[in-house]
Amino acid sequence: MTLTADQVRRFARQILLPPIGGPGQIRIGAATVLLHGDAPLLATYLAAGGLGRLLHTGPAPEIAAHEPTFCLESAEPGAPSDLVIDLADGAAFKAATGPALFGAVGPDGRVRLGSVALSESNRSIDPNVASQPPFALLQTLAAGEALRVLAGGEAHSYEYAV
């Protein structure tokens, strides 16, 4: 896969970033991400970042800006993918056979995003918190981390008190 002239113009800022570059942008465009949880902001950022295919286990996210080649499909938590992002109950994270990110906003208001197993108490999102601003922060962090990992970077873990 190569980038077209339009893609080079569209993703010029990402291509200039050392963690991504041209080869990383090509990897992002060829990648499949499995999203578990209702995270329309995260889905929009991934699509706008040039992701090739997004599988979702919940309701189909509404996505405005994306590449014409972008593919959005419904899937089950164990569907094959290059990266699993679980912002729901941990089911997809536990079923992942490859790289996975798990994110949660706890009742304490802490935003957690990690690539390693988190404690059982951090494996779910408080339904009262999921619609609050910390969940938007979690989606933004997860999208950035996902694009970095798909481009070939090392995964990190984060915890923020909001």
Side-chain angles (χ1 to χ4, degrees):
M1 179 181 170
T2 59
L3 297 174
T4 66
D6 286 340
Q7 288 173 318
V8 170
R9 276 192 295 280
R10 180 174 180 152
F11 303 117
R13 291 182 184 145
Q14 286 178 201
I15 292 169
L16 290 174
L17 295 171
I20 296 180
Q25 190 64 48
I26 290 169
R27 284 191 293 274
I28 291 168
T32 297
V33 169
L34 173 64
L35 172 61
H36 186 61
D38 187 14
L41 183 60
L42 177 129
T44 297
Y45 284 151
L46 292 178
L51 180 68
R53 184 172 174 225
L54 179 64
L55 306 176
H56 59 90
T57 61
E62 290 187 32
I63 300 171
H66 58 80
E67 278 293 285
T69 57
F70 175 75
C71 180
L72 178 66
E73 299 174 21
S74 180
E76 295 297 318
S81 63
D82 297 299
L83 179 68
V84 172
I85 303 175
D86 192 334
L87 301 184
D89 58 9
F93 184 77
K94 291 174 187 174
T97 57
L101 298 174
F102 179 82
V105 177
D108 58 359
R110 289 193 179 274
V111 174
R112 295 173 179 87
L113 175 65
S115 58
V116 296
L118 300 172
S119 70
E120 288 301 319
S121 64
N122 294 334
R123 285 187 170 266
S124 63
I125 294 175
D126 180 338
N128 296 322
V129 179
S131 63
Q132 300 302 318
F135 189 65
L137 172 63
L138 173 62
Q139 293 180 67
T140 304
L141 291 172
E145 181 70 2
L147 291 172
R148 198 171 60 69
V149 168
L150 292 170
E154 292 293 318
H156 292 95
S157 294
Y158 305 91
E159 182 170 338
Y160 296 89
V162 201

